[in-house]
Each structure stands twice: as C-alpha cells, then as structure tokens.
Amino acid sequence: MSSENTAPDASVQAKVQAFQKDAGRIREEVGKMIVGQRDIINGVIQVMLAGGNVLLEGVPGLGKTMLVRTLSEALGLNFSRIQFTPDLMPTDIVGATIIVEGEDRQKHFKFERGPIFSNIVLADEVNRATPKTQSAMLEAMQERSVTVGKETYKLDDPFFVLATQNPLEMEGTYPLPEAQLDRFLFKLVVKFPDLDELHSIMERTTQVSQPEVNPVIDKARLLEMKRFAREVPVARHVQDYALRILQGTHPEHPGAPEITRKYVRFGSSPRGAQAIMTTARVRALTEGRFNVSSEDVRRSAQNALRHRVILNFEGEAEGVSTDTIVQKIIEATPEST
Amino acid sequence: MAPTLSPDPNLAPALLKLLDRLERRVRSQRAVASAAAGACLALMLSAVGVAALRTQWIDPTLWWTVPLAAGLLIVAAALWGWRRAVDRIAIAQHIDRHYDLHDRISTALSLAMSPPQDAAGQAFARAQAADALTYLDRIDLREATPWQRPADTTLLAACALVTIGVGIVPLPDHRGTLPPPFEVRYEAFVDDATLALERDRIAALREALGDDPDPQAEAMLDAMEELLDRAEARTISQREFLEEIEKIETQLDAADEVIAQELETLSRTLADAAQELASENAEALAEEPALKEAIDALANNDLATASEALETLAESIQEEGISPERAERLAELLETFSDKLNAEDERLQDLVEKHRDALEKLAEQFGDEGNLTEEQQALLDEAEEMLSNAENAREEFDTSEAKNQLERLSRDLDEVVNEYLAEAKGSEDGDEGIAGQAEENRGDRPDYRNEVSRKMEDASEQLSEAGEQQSSQQQREEIRRQMQEMRESMSRGTGEASEEEQRRGDQVEDFMERARGESEARDDAQLDQERAQQQGEPGEAGQDGEQKPGAEAEQAQGEEGEAQNPGQPGGGEPPPGGEGGQANSEGETNDGEYRPGESDAPGGDGPDEQAQGSGETELDGERVQEQAQGQENSSGKSRAEIIRGASEEGFASAEYQEVYADYESVAEEVMERENVPDGYRFFIKRYFQLIRPQQP
C-alpha cells in the first residue's frame, strides 16, 4: 500500500474543523435571538444541513417563527412565511398564473410565484389547512419542484421547510396523515422555557435595543456543508445499531420490546433510519468527529422516530406518548449484539 | 486484518496490538470463568466418585481415575472458554464506552476491516483512524477490563463442601443384607365361618375315604386344605384361589380319564376272557354255579358281583370241603381262565405281527428298487401307520396299571389252580395233600380248605380291588362336588372380616366342634376371651392346654386313658354303634354331660385282629402302642353322621333325638341373642318342626 493511500487527508481534517466551526457560528448567531431551546436549534440546523425538513410542535408564542427568521438571516437565505388557514388554497402556496399587461399593451399569462419559492419556508400551523393545500406544499417538499399547468418550476436550493403545528386547539384542524408526516426528517417538540430563559426573553424583547443577526455563511457554503456531511462513513456496527432501533418500533418484530408490542400499531418506515443516519452524520461533524457514534444515533433516533410510530387503540386510550415508546426502544436495544 | 488505512505504519500495529492484548485478556477471563464452571461439575462428579469409592462400587485401586477425570474436565472447560470466538468489534466498543470515545476505536477497526469504496469515504476513514490512534495513550486495559471474579465462585465453594461432606459422612454399605422381602398380604375374601364350614366338609370327606383312601383323592383334599390355610393367612388372592381350584379340578379330571381308561381295559379283558370261557366250557361251568355266576358277572363288567361270587365259592369250599373231581374241574376252569388273562395282549401282538409280516412281504417283493405304484405306496404307508399305532397301544398297555392288576389276578388264579391240582393229586394218592402236610406239621386235623379258600379270596380281592376303583370314582365325584361348592362360596367372598364376622366364625367353629363331639358348649363371652388371648399371646394357645380345652386337650386325656387300660376289649356284646366306646375315648369329658358316641358298654370291639390278639395272646409294649393308635384313628358316630343317617334312615333314632335337642337349643339361643328378622325366625322354627324326631 502506498503512502499516499495511507497518509491522512489533511483536507478532511480541515473540512471537519471548518464544518464544526461554521455550524457553531450558526448556532451562536441564532442563539442571539432565541433564548434557550438549544436542542431545537441544533435539531433544526442538523435537519437543514442534512437536507431535510422539520416539523415543530409547540404552543404559540414559543419563538418558532422567530427561530426560522433568525436562521434565514444567519444563513443569508430568503425566507417566506405561510400562515395555514382552512381557506388557504394551493395557489396561495405555489403561486398562480395571472393575466398581465405587457409593455406592448398586450395581455398575456404570467406565473406568479407563491411563497413556496424561498430557501426557507415557514408553514405555520400546517394542520389548519385542508389536506388539498397541505398536499400541495408537501409535494413541493418531496419533489423540490412545483407544477402549475403545464409548467414545472424547480425550487431553489437549498429548500428548507419548517412546519409548525399547535398541539392544542385541535378543533377544526386537519392532522397531517402519516404518509405526509413521514416526509419530515425530524419532528421537534418545542418546550416551554424555564424561568431563567423567560427572564432572558423578557430582557431581549422588551428593551429598545434589539440584537442584530448577521449572516455567518452564504448559500454556497451551506450547500458545501450539506454535501460534505454525506461523505462521513458510518461503521457497520453503528448502522446496525440504528437499524435495530428501527426494528424495535415494529410490534411484529421478534426483538421488539414489550411496550412496542403492546401500544404500537405501525412502526417506522426505512425513512426513519435514513433520517437517523443523515442527521447523525451532521451531528458527528458538528462535534468535530470523523465518525458517527452510537450516541449520535441515539440522539437522532428520538427526533426522527417520534412522528413515525403509530399508536394502536390501547396506546391512544392510555395516553402513551411516542416519545416514551421510542425512549424505551432505545434503552432496550444494546449497542453490540 | 491488514493495516491498510493507518496513516502511520507504526500506529495501526499499535491499535492491533492493543486489541490483541484486549482479546487475550478477554479469553483469559472466559477461560477462568469456564474453568470455574467446569470445576463445579468436576467437584460434583468427584463427589459421586468418592461415594462410589467409599461404597466400593468402584475398585479402590482405581482411585486415581476420579481426580484425573476431574482435572481433565476442568482443563477441557478452560480450553473451551479460551477457544470461544471473540468479537473484536464488541470488545473495541467496550473500550469506547469505558473511555467515552464515541465509537472511535470500534469505528476505526470496522472501517479498517471493511473500508469504504469511494475516495472521499476512504479519506474520511484514514482521518478517522488517525483520530482514533490519538486516543490509544489514554487506554489502560487493566482499568477498562478489570479482573472479575468468576460468577460461579459461590457455587464452586458449595460443590467443594459437598464433595468434602461425601468424603466424611458415613455412607450406607450396599453390600449389606437386604431387607426382608415384602410380605404380600391379600385382602381377606372369605370369612372365618365359611372357612370353618369348608374345613368341616373336607374332614367329612376324609372320613368318608376311610382307612385306605384313594391317594389321588387324598392329595386333592390336601391341596384343598392347603388352599384354605393360605386363604386364612391371606397369602393368596381370591382370583388365585379360584385358579388353583380350577387347576386341581383339571388334574382330577385328567386322573379320572386315566383311571377310566384302565378300568375299561381291565373290564374289557376280563369280560372277553369270561365270555370265551363261558362259551368254551359251558358244561363244566354248569356244574359250578358259583363260578358261573362270577364268570357271568365278569362278562357283564360287574367286578363287585364277581368278587362276591368268588368269595362265596371260597366260603363254600371252606365250609363244605371239596372233592377231587370238583377240585380238578375248578382247576381246569380257572387255569383256562388264567390262560386267557395272559397279560400279554395277544390281539395287539397278533396285529403287530400281522402288519410286520405284510411289510416284510412287501419289502421282499419289491426289494430295494422302490418301484412301487401309488396304490402300493399308499398301502405300505397305511400298513406302517397301523403298525406304529399297534406298537404304541401295546406300549401303553404294558405300562398301565390294568396290566399289573391282570397279572396279579392271573397269578392268584394260578396259585389256586395249583392248590386244587395238589388237592386232587393228594386225594388220588391217598394222601391229604396240603391237609396232610399240615397234619404232619401240627399233629391234628389240618384245615387245608382254609388255604384253598384263602387263595380264592386273594383272587376275589384282586377283583374287588378293581371294583374299588369304581367306588373311588364316586369319592372323587364327592371331592369334585366339594370343590365346586368351595369355589362358589369363595366366589361370594365377603372381603375383610369384621369383628362381628370373626365372632360368628368362632361360633360356627364351636358349633362344628360340638357337632363332632369335640368340645362343650361355650358362651360368647368365653369365645371372645379365648380369641382375645389368642390375639394377645400368639403361640401360647397351642402350648397351653388350659387355654384351649377343646379337642387337643381332651384327645390327650383319651389317649392317656387308653394307655392305662391297654388291650381290654371289654366284655359284653358291642352296642349297635359298634365303635362307640372308642369314640368315647376321644370325646370324653369330666363333667358328665352328654358325650357323643358314648355307649352304655364300657368299650366295644375294635377291629377283628385286635379282638383276637388281645383275647388270646399276651401283649407286649409294642402291641399296646398299636392298639392305642388304632383307637385314636377310629371314631364313633359324630353328630354329622347321625344327622346324615337320620336323613337316610328316618328321624326316629334315640341318637337323633339328642342331636336334635342340642341343635334346637343352639338355634333358640342364637335367635334370642341375635337380631334375627321375624320372617327368618318363622323359617327356622318351621325347619325344626319339619325335622322333629319321630317316636321310634
């Protein structure tokens, strides 16, 4: 074996360090505006660098919109916000073809792009729109393109959707079907801040001077980071660990823990394992490591699987949360066989 | 695994060396744990081995096999633990977890074992391996994988204690004497009353057999009595009892068949001889009516009548004398008859000779060529078969008892003929023949006719012996009937005898003893007391005469009394009971109550020999002993015999009146004491009214 093959690639080490540094800068910049919520911020950054979309669940007023806006500003990306309401139409999201008068006084059709044509889209209270409207946006999330009439319009890259939904006020809402939930890489639960965090929120938002958010990376760097994150190799036993956790969500699997067999109707699809591994790679890089660890898998598994596990009647009746089930599955799955 | 991805050739071997050390450590740990488990097993086997050595199941000279086997077992277990596969990724993960290395070591090892295919991935893998190697310095295997005590240590200590205990505690010796075999006690299926009744029936049958019983019949009775003993001792089950009875019956049937065949042979031979004699010597027989009667009876297979006729002839010769002519005639007739009774069955012999001749002729005619036609061959086969059957029949006849009897009868007749011929010759010579010889010997007129008549009586006895076989068949029929009754009563087995049934059995036994005149009447309290004494002090009843004042004690008194008056036949005429005086000696009591069999005379005549011997010769000690035995074996009429006689002769005898009174009083006592239903009381009273003695 030649020394060229055995010599460490200095650029890899540098890239990893740069990745860790840039990710840290994004986190710090967002942290100027968002008090606390470190897990949410890290989760959102991981999903964004992994090229996925995230579903945020939390009561109103917890800074979800602020998080998205701050993130777009820190990344130097354009941002649009769509407030989902029952009367929201698909054209309100993707855009519509309208008749416009040209310079030659001739009228002709013109496609007017909707808010979906942004790098970062905040779909606020996505469960309040009708399924038809939801599907229009979710199609854009999956295909990264929008078809209107005979024309297909490709969305700009990076394209990142943050959807929010309110766990309260379920009256008159249209919960997302499981197939569409599966398209979100992570589902993050935004918790209510503690007292110290509330103090900080009061101080930052009720004073005259507001913190200023500056772009820390540009779009090109973001795309480079996304591509680099996919190059991280994963050891076989670590990947095996992720897959065994995934199998643990299936009640029919012989190795599934008791809680799964008792309360779970359907387990996660392979997209869940994909979500775990892609986000685990990003997490390893953000921590400056060259390898994905079992700890990365465990951390990603909770966010990647909680919306992919479908409870059965007993689980719903007894109010068992999917977080509890996923946590039990992770605890029941050994790292090595 | 080749260190292909190590950035520094010296670093990859360092990682491998670390993992090798870790693997050896893990293998050592496993070997020790397996050896501990193997030691537990070895100690348990050693305990067994020590026990086997101490109890000498194993030759003590082979003691070394036990530690050798234990040692080999431990070594084998340790080797198995060492040889078990070790997952190096797993042990690397263990190091990662212990030092919180985020799977750096395990990932480096994994990526080295299966490197990525793309260049970017390989670059990442090299960077990752270099990163992992930077953490090797902080790894201390003794800290990461500390020495752990085997989990089976406690069990090992327990096994060691067990082994030591087996070596110390005394163990039972398997070579010791075995415990006594388990005694099978079957459930009682017959009560004491039934047993007593059956024993009484057997005793009655024994008496009916007389002094010279049929050996087979006596053997059957012995077997039946033994079965009753076993039933009483509960060493036989009801099913086995019935099977044994059936077996005895089968034997009896087989014996009957043999006897019947022999009787038929004997009767047929005698009848043929008699018929031939009657046809050939009709005139001579006409002059001897007594002999003719005997010959006719023989021709009709009536052996008893023939015997009586010959006996009559002998008596007439003894009383009236015999002329030489008559003697010669009788001699000729008897000689002819004797010749015809040749034990060699001439018919069979002729048959054999005839067929043998036929076979010889056939053989001469066809020689050894064997060119026989099918018919001739069939004829030859048939002849051979007939010859074989004839020879078999001849052999059977030669070995039969009938032939022996015929030979004895023929010999007796020859002796009678010789006597007659001697008589006839003596008369012609002017001599007295046998009488003359007797006169010369004793000096007075000899009773030579006695000799002739005695010879004739011997011949008569031979015939009567054959007739007795016919009567013994009747005895066996009685025994068979008895066995059937016994089987029926045993089939109705009552199971475990209760206290009340035992009491009833005692009453029945007492009643039967009283019926036989062997004891006095006893009340229930006395019976209960005796039973309690027998149960409380087993074995004393047979030794203490006072506790059992029944038959044995009184029999002893009877024998003593006879020994004091030996050889005194008594004076007057014997009473109608005949042997009542002897029966009295058995049933004698001191209280002057009723004594069954007792007669007014102080003693009756015994057998004729005793009467003659005691009256005319001086007795010595041996004679006295013989007389005592004769009296002991004889008996007077028992109550059972009186009742049986009453049923045949009528209810008018004085003895029956006494027996009736005794039985009726017993029945009344029982009805007063027991809770007998009114309906049954009526039948009992009615029964006694029907058998009430009539005025003589």
Side-chain angles (χ1 to χ4, degrees):
Chain A
M1 178 162 291
S2 66
S3 59
E4 185 181 352
N5 289 335
T6 58
D9 192 343
S11 65
V12 172
Q13 295 183 11
K15 286 179 183 177
V16 170
Q17 290 172 359
F19 192 101
Q20 183 184 17
K21 183 180 176 183
D22 289 343
R25 287 169 61 192
I26 296 171
R27 194 162 46 235
E28 288 174 4
E29 202 64 25
V30 173
K32 286 180 183 178
M33 292 297 294
I34 305 298
V35 178
Q37 306 288 1
R38 288 186 60 83
D39 290 339
I40 300 299
I41 295 171
N42 288 335
V44 168
I45 293 172
Q46 286 170 17
V47 171
M48 188 183 64
L49 292 176
N53 306 291
V54 69
L55 176 64
L56 294 171
E57 184 177 273
V59 294
L62 294 182
K64 297 187 290 290
T65 306
M66 178 66 72
L67 170 64
V68 175
R69 180 179 293 121
T70 305
L71 187 62
S72 63
E73 289 175 359
L75 297 176
L77 302 175
N78 55 38
F79 161 75
S80 62
R81 176 180 182 271
I82 307 170
Q83 178 64 50
F84 278 61
T85 58
D87 58 351
L88 184 70
M89 299 300 290
T91 53
D92 297 334
I93 298 173
V94 299
T97 304
I98 58 175
I99 299 174
V100 294
E101 189 176 293
E103 291 176 356
D104 55 354
R105 301 285 181 175
Q106 293 290 322
K107 292 182 180 178
H108 56 89
F109 290 101
K110 179 188 178 187
F111 178 69
E112 189 66 25
R113 298 189 173 196
I116 196 75
F117 288 90
S118 295
N119 294 119
I120 298 177
V121 177
L122 174 62
D124 214 356
E125 298 191 273
V126 68
N127 57 338
R128 292 198 178 277
T130 60
K132 183 178 179 181
T133 307
Q134 290 173 358
S135 64
M137 195 197 68
L138 292 169
E139 180 190 357
M141 288 167 53
Q142 186 66 26
E143 304 297 333
R144 300 294 172 100
S145 63
V146 172
T147 302
V148 178
K150 295 180 181 178
E151 295 290 334
T152 298
Y153 303 95
K154 194 166 180 61
L155 298 176
D156 195 12
D157 198 18
F159 179 74
F160 180 53
V161 176
L162 282 100
T164 68
Q165 64 179 9
N166 187 356
L168 306 177
E169 301 178 21
M170 299 301 289
E171 192 76 23
T173 62
Y174 301 92
L176 292 173
E178 286 79 8
Q180 294 186 356
L181 280 175
D182 200 24
R183 294 175 183 174
F184 290 100
L185 211 63
F186 269 10
K187 177 184 177 184
L188 301 173
V189 178
V190 184
K191 296 177 181 175
F192 194 80
D194 57 21
L195 187 59
D196 292 337
E197 291 172 344
L198 285 173
H199 277 296
S200 299
I201 291 171
M202 295 302 110
E203 289 168 1
R204 291 185 188 180
T205 57
T206 57
Q207 292 178 355
V208 177
S209 61
Q210 295 286 323
E212 185 179 354
V213 178
N214 299 314
V216 292
I217 59 171
D218 57 4
K219 185 188 295 183
R221 174 60 184 159
L222 181 63
L223 293 175
E224 184 185 355
M225 289 176 70
K226 282 177 62 179
R227 191 169 51 252
F228 183 69
R230 290 186 174 264
E231 293 178 358
V232 177
V234 178
R236 181 81 176 179
H237 64 276
V238 177
Q239 185 170 296
D240 183 68
Y241 179 52
L243 294 177
R244 281 188 281 112
I245 290 175
L246 181 79
Q247 288 178 328
T249 63
H250 290 262
E252 69 275 9
H253 191 267
E258 177 64 25
I259 193 169
T260 301
R261 289 198 292 270
K262 191 172 181 182
Y263 295 121
V264 175
R265 183 156 58 105
F266 294 116
S268 170
S269 69
R271 281 179 179 162
Q274 292 171 349
I276 291 171
M277 295 316 299
T278 52
T279 54
R281 283 184 168 96
V282 174
R283 187 176 185 276
L285 291 175
T286 56
E287 293 191 356
R289 280 186 279 113
F290 299 87
N291 67 294
V292 178
S293 69
S294 301
E295 177 66 18
D296 299 329
V297 171
R298 274 194 294 274
R299 291 292 180 90
S300 297
Q302 185 70 270
N303 296 328
L305 296 179
R306 63 161 57 103
H307 59 292
R308 291 183 165 94
V309 173
I310 312 301
L311 298 178
N312 59 14
F313 176 76
E314 287 80 7
E316 296 283 357
E318 295 189 15
V320 179
S321 71
T322 55
D323 280 352
T324 304
I325 290 173
V326 173
Q327 184 61 36
K328 294 284 185 186
I329 292 170
I330 292 171
E331 290 173 359
T333 307
E335 288 185 17
S336 56
T337 54
Chain B
M1 182 181 64
T4 55
L5 301 176
S6 174
D8 183 351
N10 296 324
L11 291 180
L15 179 60
L16 292 177
K17 188 177 178 182
L18 173 76
L19 292 174
D20 287 342
R21 284 170 51 206
L22 182 60
E23 185 177 339
R24 282 196 297 272
R25 231 179 138 74
V26 170
R27 286 184 185 277
S28 302
Q29 190 90 17
R30 287 182 178 179
V32 171
S34 299
C40 292
L41 188 58
L43 281 172
M44 294 311 296
L45 288 176
S46 299
V48 174
V50 169
L53 282 171
R54 292 191 60 199
T55 55
Q56 298 189 2
W57 281 102
I58 296 178
D59 188 356
T61 59
L62 299 176
W63 63 269
W64 52 270
T65 57
V66 175
L68 178 65
L72 286 176
L73 189 61
I74 295 172
V75 170
L79 283 176
W80 178 76
W82 178 271
R83 296 280 299 170
R84 279 173 61 196
V86 175
D87 186 357
R88 304 187 81 173
I89 296 291
I91 59 176
Q93 280 182 290
H94 177 76
I95 297 293
D96 287 334
R97 281 193 297 271
H98 184 77
Y99 288 104
D100 197 16
L101 297 181
H102 292 278
D103 292 310
R104 283 186 171 91
I105 304 295
S106 59
T107 302
L109 185 61
S110 175
L111 293 178
M113 293 168 69
S114 54
Q117 300 299 317
D118 58 317
Q122 290 177 1
F124 243 110
R126 287 193 296 271
Q128 198 275 329
D131 179 53
L133 291 173
T134 58
Y135 290 90
L136 288 184
D137 295 339
R138 68 173 71 172
I139 295 174
D140 183 2
L141 291 182
R142 282 176 294 187
E143 182 188 345
T145 56
W147 181 260
Q148 292 179 344
R149 194 184 70 171
D152 296 330
T153 309
T154 307
L155 181 61
L156 185 66
C159 292
L161 287 176
V162 169
T163 307
I164 294 171
V166 169
I168 293 175
V169 298
L171 298 174
D173 189 359
H174 71 280
R175 296 168 304 172
T177 55
L178 293 173
F182 180 70
E183 184 180 359
V184 178
R185 297 276 293 179
Y186 293 99
E187 188 176 347
F189 60 90
V190 61
D191 57 10
D192 293 343
T194 307
L195 281 173
L197 283 172
E198 296 298 336
R199 288 187 199 284
D200 191 64
R201 287 181 185 174
I202 291 174
L205 283 173
R206 281 191 191 283
E207 289 183 5
L209 288 179
D211 294 335
D212 188 16
D214 178 18
Q216 289 182 343
E218 195 172 23
M220 301 299 163
L221 290 177
D222 291 342
M224 290 163 65
E225 204 155 15
E226 184 188 351
L227 280 179
L228 289 178
D229 292 342
R230 292 177 65 187
E232 187 176 19
R234 296 194 203 175
T235 57
I236 188 171
S237 66
Q238 187 179 21
R239 186 175 58 82
E240 291 171 346
F241 187 93
L242 295 175
E243 287 175 356
E244 289 293 327
I245 285 281
E246 194 171 352
K247 205 180 291 179
I248 293 172
E249 277 186 328
T250 306
Q251 294 174 356
L252 194 59
D253 290 341
D256 280 352
E257 192 175 346
V258 172
I259 290 170
Q261 286 178 353
E262 291 186 351
L263 265 179
E264 186 183 355
T265 304
L266 182 64
S267 301
R268 193 179 66 245
T269 307
L270 287 171
D272 292 346
Q275 285 173 356
E276 290 179 11
L277 183 68
S279 62
E280 294 172 0
N281 303 284
E283 295 179 358
L285 280 176
E287 295 176 2
E288 293 292 338
L291 185 59
K292 186 176 188 303
E293 183 184 357
I295 294 300
D296 292 342
L298 286 175
N300 294 327
N301 289 334
D302 190 353
L303 300 181
T305 306
S307 174
E308 288 176 2
L310 284 179
E311 200 168 351
T312 306
L313 179 62
E315 287 174 2
S316 67
I317 291 170
Q318 185 179 11
E319 291 172 359
E320 300 169 1
I322 185 170
S323 64
E325 295 79 13
R326 191 185 179 199
E328 191 173 357
R329 187 171 57 247
L330 280 174
E332 287 178 2
L333 288 171
L334 292 176
E335 188 174 9
T336 306
F337 188 66
S338 174
D339 292 342
K340 293 183 183 301
L341 287 181
N342 190 355
E344 295 292 332
D345 193 334
E346 294 177 355
R347 287 170 302 178
L348 288 174
Q349 200 165 359
D350 292 343
L351 188 65
V352 171
E353 292 299 329
K354 177 184 173 186
H355 286 89
R356 183 173 289 122
D357 292 343
L359 289 175
E360 287 175 356
K361 287 177 182 176
L362 279 173
E364 288 174 3
Q365 183 178 357
F366 297 101
D368 298 333
E369 296 177 358
N371 51 354
L372 299 174
T373 63
E374 289 185 0
E375 291 181 359
Q376 289 167 342
Q377 185 65 45
L379 185 64
L380 184 61
D381 293 342
E382 186 181 358
E384 285 178 349
E385 186 180 358
M386 291 179 68
L387 179 62
S388 174
N389 293 337
E391 287 179 343
N392 290 337
R394 187 179 170 190
E395 286 178 3
E396 287 179 4
F397 179 76
D398 288 344
T399 57
S400 68
E401 179 63 22
K403 181 189 174 188
N404 295 334
Q405 288 188 353
L406 286 172
E407 285 178 346
R408 286 199 298 272
L409 180 59
S410 177
R411 190 170 56 248
D412 289 341
L413 289 174
D414 287 342
E415 289 177 0
V416 172
V417 167
N418 292 334
E419 292 295 338
Y420 283 155
L421 290 176
E423 170 61 22
K425 186 179 179 183
S427 299
E428 290 173 357
D429 295 343
D431 198 351
E432 294 294 336
I434 299 172
Q437 293 173 10
E439 188 179 4
E440 289 175 1
N441 292 336
R442 287 184 292 196
D444 60 354
R445 175 72 180 171
D447 191 4
Y448 66 90
R449 288 168 299 201
N450 283 344
E451 286 299 318
V452 176
S453 66
R454 190 174 57 77
K455 299 288 185 185
M456 185 67 78
E457 282 177 356
D458 286 346
S460 169
E461 281 179 6
Q462 290 299 325
L463 288 177
S464 68
E465 188 178 324
E468 280 173 3
Q469 287 188 350
Q470 291 176 330
S471 66
S472 69
Q473 269 190 319
Q474 295 175 354
Q475 294 173 358
R476 282 193 287 273
E477 283 299 324
E478 283 291 327
I479 292 171
R480 183 179 285 109
R481 193 161 49 248
Q482 164 66 16
M483 275 194 292
Q484 288 174 353
E485 290 176 3
M486 184 187 293
R487 182 167 55 191
E488 288 172 2
S489 62
M490 293 305 169
S491 300
R492 296 191 300 266
T494 56
E496 187 71 31
S498 63
E499 185 71 20
E500 184 62 28
E501 286 170 343
Q502 274 193 341
R503 187 176 171 188
R504 182 167 161 267
D506 291 341
Q507 289 176 356
V508 171
E509 282 185 8
D510 178 55
F511 180 78
M512 298 306 295
E513 286 176 0
R514 288 163 60 191
R516 290 192 295 267
E518 294 176 353
S519 68
E520 305 170 20
R522 288 174 287 187
D523 58 7
D524 287 344
Q526 195 175 354
L527 287 172
D528 292 342
Q529 187 179 359
E530 287 178 5
R531 192 171 61 245
Q533 286 176 351
Q534 288 173 358
Q535 291 175 352
E537 300 173 5
E540 290 185 6
Q543 300 171 0
D544 191 353
E546 291 182 2
Q547 288 187 354
K548 192 172 182 181
E552 291 182 7
E554 289 167 9
Q555 189 175 0
Q557 287 178 0
E559 290 174 359
E560 187 180 357
E562 290 161 6
Q564 288 171 358
N565 300 299
Q568 294 180 3
E573 290 292 325
E579 299 169 356
Q582 293 163 2
N584 185 26
S585 65
E586 287 187 1
E588 186 179 5
T589 55
N590 296 327
D591 53 6
E593 288 184 355
Y594 168 72
R595 283 172 279 192
E598 181 182 19
S599 66
D600 294 334
D605 277 345
D608 291 341
E609 290 176 2
Q610 289 179 7
Q612 290 173 1
S614 62
E616 295 178 7
T617 59
E618 188 177 350
L619 297 175
D620 53 11
E622 268 185 48
R623 183 66 176 176
V624 172
Q625 184 64 27
E626 284 179 5
Q627 190 177 29
Q629 286 178 349
Q631 287 180 349
E632 181 185 352
N633 289 334
S634 63
S635 61
K637 272 189 174 179
S638 67
R639 294 189 180 193
E641 287 173 338
I642 292 170
I643 293 170
R644 196 177 298 122
S647 66
E648 295 170 355
E649 300 165 4
F651 301 149
S653 67
E655 296 156 343
Y656 180 72
Q657 286 182 0
E658 293 174 352
V659 172
Y660 175 83
D662 191 19
Y663 276 45
E664 189 181 31
S665 64
V666 170
E668 286 175 354
E669 285 176 14
V670 170
M671 282 196 293
E672 288 175 3
R673 190 170 57 245
E674 304 286 342
N675 185 20
V676 181
D678 292 338
Y680 290 139
R681 286 177 188 273
F682 169 76
F683 282 117
I684 293 168
K685 288 178 181 175
R686 178 66 178 156
Y687 170 74
F688 278 97
Q689 286 172 1
L690 290 173
I691 63 171
R692 185 185 298 280
Q694 298 170 0
Q695 291 300 322

